[in-house]
Amino acid sequence: TNGVTVSKTFNLKPSSGLVSGIVSQYLNSTLSNSQGASIILRDLATGQTFTAISASDGTFKILNLFSGDYRITASKEGYLTDSLFFHLTDGETKTNVNLTLKVSWVKFIGSVIYNNAGLPGVIVTAISTSTLIDTTDVNGSFSFDNAVIKTSPGDTTTFQITISGNGITPQSKIISVPAAMVGNIISI
């Protein structure tokens, strides 16, 4: 004011850092690339987030990053998230920031047998935190592919399995699944 000019010089830093890697997933003890995983990279100092989706080969790349401390997280429905912390210096290219997702469910398989033969058309229900329903096939077989279980060490998830249908007296049984069974196929 009063004819005085105020001048301020700003020194801008280029945001030329880069992070890339691969998201993998375990399924039935087999490690494979994970397409469609959500990647969130958070600058721990500013809270700024950057996002990406893993490609068909599981790869991702996030460009134009400043130096700083970061947390990167990969997530995908049906899988436990995986996270890493790292430091990025000015202009650094950090490759091999690899994340691995593990399933958070089990698969149940079984058959409804009557007079030593599979019984088709029987409704089978598995109830826990959600309800899964299947109908037995011509051989009396059924399956639940994605029965979500608790995954913390020592946790157990309880399922009530019920069969019902025309001319059938409904029957139930309780199945307890420990967290250590995550990703397994359980025959009931």
Side-chain angles (χ1 to χ4, degrees), residues 22-188:
I22 298 174
V23 180
S24 301
Q25 63 191 36
Y26 272 107
L27 182 59
N28 298 330
S29 300
T30 302
L31 187 63
S32 61
N33 295 334
S34 184
Q35 177 180 0
S38 295
I39 312 297
I40 298 175
L41 179 66
R42 179 176 302 277
D43 183 320
L44 297 177
T46 67
Q48 183 177 9
T49 59
F50 305 86
T51 61
I53 302 293
S54 60
S56 60
D57 60 356
T59 60
F60 68 90
K61 185 183 293 187
I62 301 175
L63 307 168
N64 302 321
L65 301 171
F66 290 107
S67 64
D69 294 316
Y70 288 90
R71 177 182 183 191
I72 190 165
T73 303
S75 63
K76 186 174 178 179
E77 186 174 338
Y79 293 84
L80 302 173
T81 61
D82 189 20
S83 295
L84 293 171
F85 293 90
F86 60 89
H87 180 79
L88 195 64
T89 59
D90 284 332
E92 182 180 3
T93 295
K94 190 172 286 289
T95 59
N96 297 319
V97 178
N98 300 328
L99 300 152
T100 303
L101 303 174
K102 296 178 182 174
V103 295
S104 61
W105 47 263
V106 295
K107 178 177 181 174
F108 289 122
I109 59 171
S111 297
V112 177
I113 308 295
Y114 181 72
N115 285 338
N116 295 320
L119 194 58
V122 176
I123 298 168
V124 183
T125 308
I127 301 172
S128 185
T129 57
S130 62
T131 300
L132 305 169
I133 301 172
D134 194 16
T135 303
T136 57
D137 63 17
V138 295
N139 300 312
S141 298
F142 65 90
S143 70
F144 300 109
D145 291 333
N146 297 306
V148 176
I149 66 169
K150 298 174 188 172
T151 56
S152 295
D155 278 347
T156 299
T157 305
T158 303
F159 291 87
Q160 179 179 345
I161 310 294
T162 304
I163 62 169
S164 61
N166 290 332
I168 296 174
T169 302
Q171 297 178 39
S172 293
K173 75 191 263 186
I174 302 295
I175 305 287
S176 294
V177 182
M181 294 295 292
V182 69
N184 286 302
I185 299 172
I186 299 172
S187 182
I188 54 177

